[in-house]
Amino acid sequence: MRSHTAPPVSTPLPFKEIRDGGLLLLCCVLYMAVHFIPNLGGYDVMGSQWFYLALLDFVAAIFILLNKSDYKAGARRIFSDRFTHLYMALVLLAGLSIFAAINKTEMLVCYVRLVTTVVAFLNLSVLLNNRVHLFGLIAQVVSMVLLLESLYALYTFFQGISSVKLDTLILSLKSNTGNKNIFAASLVVKVPFALYCIYTQKISGRILNLAALFLGILSIFIVNARSSYVGLLLVAGIYIAFCLLSFRKDKRKELLLYRAAYLLLPLLIALFCANMILTSAQSFQDEKGGYGTVTERLGTIGLTNDASNYRFALWRHAIDYSKHHPLMGCGFGNWKLASIPYEKEYIDDLNVPAHSHNDFLETTAELGLAGGMLLLALFVVLIVYTVRTLRSNADNHVKLAAVFSLLALAGYFVDAALNFPGERPVMQVFFALITALNVTAFNKSRESAASGQAQAVETSQDTNAIPPSTSYALFTMLAMLPVINLTFLTYQSLRAQLVVLPDLDNEALTLPLNQVSHIFPSIPNLTSTGQPIDAIVGRYFYENKQYEQAIQLFDKGSKANPYIFYSDFMKADVYYVRNQVDSAYKYATIAYYNRPRAKTYYQTLIAVCAKKKDTAAINKAFFTYTRYRRLQPFGWNMYLMGTLNVLQKGTKELLSMADSALRLFPQDPDLLVRRQEIINSMGIPTNGFQVPPNLQSTYQQLQAAGKDAFGRNDFNNAALYFVKAASISSEDYSNNENAAISYFNMKEYAKSIVYFDKVIESKKASDGKSEFFKGAALINLGKKAEGCALLQAAKAKGYQAAEAIIRSNCG
């Protein structure tokens, strides 16, 4: 009988290798797809992108769980790695910072983004285990993303080159990244992947990737982001150094020249083309803007505060805060709050310096010295890993994976040192991918060591301590549930912000209270611009005269952001309209002197001081405002308006101030009007008009209410008050004139003309003021000939402001 023996156990089938490789590639493609996720109705694109990544992390963990036997070794290996230990220590420290956080809710909102990035790194590392040979396919995917993004950016640029202002056009080149600097940085970190494909592929593959590399570099140059220039130069420098090291080993000059040319030729050609394109774009411009050719932008890079776009000052502030809080900073994600007191004398209005433009310094300010050192240590460890991989006897593709992932990390490092990639999903996806590739290559090189006994012992010792793939996947899925919830709520809030924030620019809010009061989720409690959401909602309650509810929301807003003083500003308005002048003055003073460059805070304080009849306080506010924003007419105009409101007549001193303002801003129409009002009110009696005795009190109250509303720029109510006053006394033409000017200021020119006509027809006004404003209204309505005729009439009556308007509109 013939004996039958069992066949030997075979190595994994090629099909399984193909399947696993395809699934890994699909996972990488899905992570890269975050570049193409739009804002989906959100105020900032990162809301939808973080939510997408959190969901993807969860799905990847499910896949690992379903294939736990395939990824058991990968899970154990990554959790035994020193880089992972450091990364997890950073995550733990960031989590503990909630106890020191200024705003604990904002800390959680930002913390889940860090968790999302770390889980992406762990997922990719587990999936990549023993699959470094797939680096080429991953690099090809990234290279194609680079090609697509570059083509779209260049298409957008050439579409608007002849019709859009160059600065506006360049700022629009941001794809789905948030702004042009992030977009340029994301291109820089993709360049090494395209370069790897050129370095390793045959001539047919090189052509496509050369196109991706050239167009990517061309896009980087056109975007005009100086930090990306620095990153690109560092990548080029390290790559050339690698080529020289390879030359020392193989001694082949022609190979050195070819390899160096792979990057240098596209770089130089792209530089030449970008300069030509940008020079051509400048020829379409009426005036030179802030952006120019590549060589011009390179010339502005320098170690000065002006050259660094104020980054040096931001860095000093972060360093100073870290000195005072070395053990635990302001809490993860809370630098946007802690930085505000440093910036109050430098940043206008309610803008906040959300980032220090250096992730290392910002992390130190948020987590203390230990946090900053841990973040820096991540980069140091990867450099050490790359060097050790190159010195090992690993296969060449493993060494190349280590080197080119380090090149991408160099591009990321520059952006982290000059911007804030830690907040942006498109950059964090790359950080997760780059670090996973580098760590996996290093671990593969350790496997290839000739003496593997020590490694085997180390692995056996770690086996019992390190969680297998099942534990990892289950724990990750559990941890990602609250992360998904928080990222979804943040995305929902950003959708609400897109609706509400533009409405805040309207003098009278247009959205109904019942919509706004329920539009925001409970988390976060700050907008993407750092404003307290409760205080914003409170403003709608205030506008609807529900003052008690408004005050409660303002108090909650103060806790969310105690340094922006928006709630104090709004409380001043509440107390002003309730005629609680002392309380209004208290909160207006707190708000303004803590944000002395805020235009609206200054305006409110002037209105409150005018109602309080406190010219000394008006003077103090004026001199404070002009110390910071002297070259703006708004501060002078508010001062003149407030003081005139208090005095109820012009004085020589006030006229002198108006003349001083007009010497600085000779054509400003508001200042011209204020000067004329001062002249008109000097020595002219304000009484003598016939008012029925039983209506005198009502008449005076209406006039006072109209003046108060006008002083607060509440022109709609001012007009209503003056119209009612005019119905009581037809002799006092100033009521109709003031109503007309109120409508004029609201740009309701047709309505203003109705009341100007009443003044002109009464023939009681001889100063030409109504003729002047009616003429200006007609010009705004497109009736230039009629308007200019009235302006000439106003000039003939001695209305001095008419001359400037005639020169600019009636030539």
Side-chain angles (χ1 to χ4, degrees):
M1 179 183 291
R2 178 182 293 178
S3 62
H4 294 275
T5 59
V9 177
S10 62
T11 57
L13 294 174
F15 172 76
K16 185 176 185 302
E17 290 291 332
I18 294 172
R19 185 203 69 177
D20 290 349
L23 290 172
L24 170 62
L25 194 61
L26 175 62
C27 183
C28 291
V29 168
L30 291 174
Y31 273 112
M32 289 301 103
V34 73
H35 289 70
F36 304 103
I37 302 295
N39 62 14
L40 298 178
Y43 188 80
D44 192 306
V45 71
M46 69 177 179
S48 55
Q49 291 179 348
W50 278 121
F51 178 55
Y52 169 80
L53 288 180
L55 287 173
L56 186 56
D57 280 348
F58 185 81
V59 171
I62 293 176
F63 173 76
I64 292 171
L65 179 64
L66 294 176
N67 299 273
K68 53 184 179 294
S69 59
D70 294 335
Y71 299 110
K72 183 177 181 180
R76 285 175 171 163
R77 177 169 292 164
I78 194 60
F79 278 100
S80 68
D81 189 88
R82 291 183 180 85
F83 178 87
T84 305
H85 296 162
L86 288 170
Y87 211 168
M88 297 307 292
L90 179 63
V91 174
L92 177 61
L93 184 62
L96 292 174
S97 74
I98 193 170
F99 297 107
I102 299 169
N103 183 324
K104 291 177 171 51
T105 301
E106 184 65 15
M107 178 269 165
L108 289 173
V109 169
C110 296
Y111 184 67
V112 297
R113 297 168 184 169
L114 176 62
V115 172
T116 301
T117 304
V118 172
V119 172
F121 158 73
L122 294 172
N123 284 342
L124 289 168
S125 298
V126 170
L127 294 169
L128 275 166
N129 183 55
N130 285 326
R131 296 178 179 84
V132 184
H133 59 280
L134 296 175
F135 182 90
L137 288 175
I138 296 171
Q140 189 62 70
V141 170
V142 177
S143 180
M144 291 302 95
V145 174
L146 175 66
L147 179 63
L148 291 174
E149 287 188 319
S150 302
L151 286 172
Y152 181 76
L154 292 171
Y155 171 78
T156 302
F157 182 82
F158 284 112
Q159 281 287 99
I161 193 171
S162 61
S163 58
V164 180
K165 187 177 178 181
L166 183 59
D167 286 9
T168 303
L169 182 58
I170 288 176
L171 288 171
S172 71
L173 302 179
K174 57 184 179 180
S175 185
N176 288 320
T177 61
N179 65 53
K180 75 177 188 68
N181 292 328
I182 301 167
F183 175 61
S186 73
L187 296 179
V188 171
V189 296
K190 295 182 185 77
V191 162
F193 291 91
L195 190 57
Y196 172 88
C197 295
I198 299 167
Y199 190 95
T200 58
Q201 292 182 9
K202 295 182 180 180
I203 186 67
S204 56
R206 286 175 182 168
I207 294 174
L208 179 62
N209 289 291
L210 274 169
L213 181 64
F214 167 73
L215 293 175
I217 295 174
L218 180 62
S219 299
I220 292 169
F221 283 147
I222 286 178
V223 169
N224 261 238
R226 293 175 296 182
S227 59
S228 67
Y229 294 172
V230 177
L232 185 61
L233 289 174
L234 180 61
V235 169
I238 297 175
Y239 174 72
I240 297 301
F242 169 69
C243 291
L244 292 172
L245 287 174
S246 300
F247 170 71
R248 288 184 62 186
K249 183 177 179 180
D250 54 39
K251 304 296 184 183
R252 296 174 62 185
K253 288 184 179 179
E254 70 282 2
L255 202 56
L256 170 64
L257 294 175
Y258 278 127
R259 289 171 174 171
Y262 293 156
L263 178 58
L264 292 182
L265 278 179
L267 186 68
L268 293 174
I269 296 171
L271 175 63
F272 176 75
C273 292
N275 272 335
M276 287 185 59
I277 291 169
L278 289 168
T279 300
S280 175
Q282 287 178 327
S283 67
F284 292 106
Q285 306 298 307
D286 295 328
E287 56 184 29
K288 187 174 177 61
Y291 299 111
T293 65
V294 181
T295 49
E296 288 172 344
R297 289 291 283 171
L298 286 171
T300 65
I301 297 176
L303 298 177
T304 65
N305 205 38
D306 291 338
S308 67
N309 275 353
Y310 194 55
R311 283 183 176 87
F312 279 14
L314 296 175
W315 298 346
R316 284 197 303 271
H317 299 157
I319 291 170
D320 181 74
Y321 190 89
S322 301
K323 287 179 180 178
H324 291 88
H325 304 81
L327 297 180
M328 185 60 74
C330 57
F332 191 72
N334 273 235
W335 177 245
K336 63 176 64 70
L337 301 176
S339 63
I340 295 174
Y342 287 98
E343 305 295 326
K344 68 178 185 179
E345 296 183 357
Y346 304 99
I347 294 183
D348 290 339
D349 300 317
L350 303 189
N351 297 316
V352 298
H355 300 285
S356 68
H357 281 265
N358 184 305
D359 275 357
F360 303 99
L361 294 178
E362 187 168 326
T363 301
T364 305
E366 293 178 344
L367 304 181
L369 294 176
M373 294 301 293
L374 280 172
L375 181 59
L376 184 61
L378 297 180
F379 292 83
V380 174
V381 166
L382 292 180
I383 294 172
V384 172
Y385 277 11
T386 303
V387 173
R388 290 180 63 180
T389 302
L390 287 174
R391 289 180 174 177
S392 72
N393 61 352
D395 292 340
N396 192 49
H397 70 269
V398 175
K399 294 182 178 181
L400 289 178
V403 169
F404 282 89
S405 62
L406 184 70
L407 286 176
L409 185 70
Y412 179 94
F413 175 83
V414 171
D415 195 47
L418 296 173
N419 290 306
F420 42 93
E423 184 185 55
R424 290 293 168 175
V426 293
M427 294 301 292
Q428 289 310 286
V429 159
F430 263 100
F431 185 73
L433 178 62
I434 293 163
T435 52
L437 288 167
N438 196 280
V439 170
T440 304
F442 171 68
N443 286 325
K444 186 66 177 177
S445 73
R446 295 169 72 191
E447 276 188 3
S448 304
S451 176
Q453 186 175 2
Q455 175 66 23
V457 172
E458 181 183 342
T459 303
S460 66
Q461 291 174 342
D462 290 339
T463 301
N464 294 328
I466 304 302
S469 55
T470 302
S471 300
Y472 163 71
L474 288 173
F475 179 79
T476 298
M477 290 165 61
L478 184 63
M480 289 308 296
L481 290 175
V483 170
I484 290 170
N485 181 51
L486 282 170
T487 53
F488 176 72
L489 290 176
T490 303
Y491 164 60
Q492 289 295 98
S493 177
L494 287 167
R495 286 175 59 88
Q497 290 174 44
L498 185 64
V499 175
V500 174
L501 293 187
D503 191 42
L504 299 180
D505 293 331
N506 297 319
E507 186 58 39
L509 301 175
T510 60
L511 295 176
L513 174 62
N514 59 359
Q515 177 184 351
V516 176
S517 61
H518 297 96
I519 197 172
F520 288 101
S522 58
I523 292 176
N525 57 12
L526 294 178
T527 68
S528 63
T529 58
Q531 309 304 319
I533 290 174
D534 284 318
I536 289 173
V537 176
R539 181 176 167 185
Y540 283 84
F541 279 91
Y542 157 72
E543 294 255 344
N544 284 271
K545 296 181 172 54
Q546 297 184 33
Y547 300 128
E548 295 304 323
Q549 296 94 322
I551 291 290
Q552 292 175 10
L553 288 167
F554 294 150
D555 287 338
K556 290 177 66 177
S558 292
K559 295 175 183 177
N561 187 340
Y563 304 121
I564 199 69
F565 297 96
Y566 183 77
S567 293
D568 298 275
F569 159 68
M570 288 306 306
K571 285 164 81 171
D573 272 353
V574 171
Y575 291 120
Y576 183 93
V577 298
R578 296 173 73 173
N579 208 33
Q580 295 174 257
V581 182
D582 289 339
S583 294
Y585 179 74
K586 170 187 172 182
Y587 288 105
T589 301
I590 290 172
Y592 176 66
Y593 287 106
N594 279 285
R595 297 289 294 178
R597 300 182 69 99
K599 182 185 293 186
T600 52
Y601 290 11
Y602 169 71
Q603 181 176 344
T604 294
L605 179 57
I606 291 293
V608 171
C609 292
K611 192 167 188 175
K612 199 170 182 286
K613 308 298 183 183
D614 191 342
T615 55
I618 291 175
N619 289 334
K620 180 183 176 183
F622 167 69
F623 288 118
T624 301
Y625 187 85
T626 52
R627 187 172 75 198
Y628 298 111
R629 304 181 73 169
R630 177 175 173 78
L631 298 180
Q632 294 182 8
F634 178 83
W636 295 80
N637 184 52
M638 287 295 103
Y639 166 78
L640 294 172
M641 186 182 294
T643 306
L644 190 58
N645 191 291
V646 172
L647 300 177
Q648 291 293 301
K649 65 177 182 178
T651 65
K652 291 181 179 180
E653 293 77 10
L654 201 56
L655 182 60
S656 176
M657 288 294 289
D659 288 337
S660 297
L662 284 167
R663 280 194 289 270
L664 291 171
F665 318 103
Q667 301 301 320
D668 185 77
D670 290 330
L671 291 176
L672 289 167
V673 171
R674 294 291 88 75
R675 185 181 188 279
Q676 193 64 47
E677 287 175 349
I678 293 168
I679 293 173
N680 293 345
S681 62
M682 290 177 70
I684 297 178
T686 57
N687 52 17
F689 297 107
Q690 294 297 318
V691 177
N694 63 320
L695 296 177
Q696 284 184 357
S697 177
T698 303
Y699 181 71
Q700 291 171 358
Q701 290 174 4
L702 287 171
Q703 282 198 319
K707 291 175 182 177
D708 282 345
F710 194 91
R712 289 184 290 107
N713 286 353
D714 183 3
F715 300 119
N716 185 56
N717 282 321
L720 294 176
Y721 288 130
F722 287 128
V723 169
K724 289 180 180 178
S727 67
I728 295 175
S729 174
S730 59
E731 293 187 18
D732 189 351
Y733 68 86
S734 67
N735 293 314
N736 283 320
E737 191 168 66
N738 289 335
I741 293 173
S742 298
Y743 286 123
F744 182 92
N745 284 332
M746 289 190 291
K747 296 183 172 53
E748 295 187 22
Y749 301 118
K751 191 177 288 187
S752 74
I753 289 173
V754 173
Y755 292 95
F756 285 131
D757 283 341
K758 290 183 179 183
V759 177
I760 295 170
E761 290 168 4
S762 73
K763 298 182 179 180
K764 291 181 179 179
S766 60
D767 57 7
K769 183 177 183 179
S770 287
E771 287 85 350
F772 167 77
F773 276 104
K774 181 182 176 182
L778 287 167
I779 289 175
N780 282 307
L781 291 172
K783 300 177 181 180
K784 189 173 182 180
E786 297 176 51
C788 288
L790 276 168
L791 287 172
Q792 292 290 353
K795 179 182 176 182
K797 289 187 175 184
Y799 200 82
Q800 297 182 12
E803 178 65 34
I805 306 299
I806 291 170
R807 282 200 303 269
S808 58
N809 291 278
C810 305

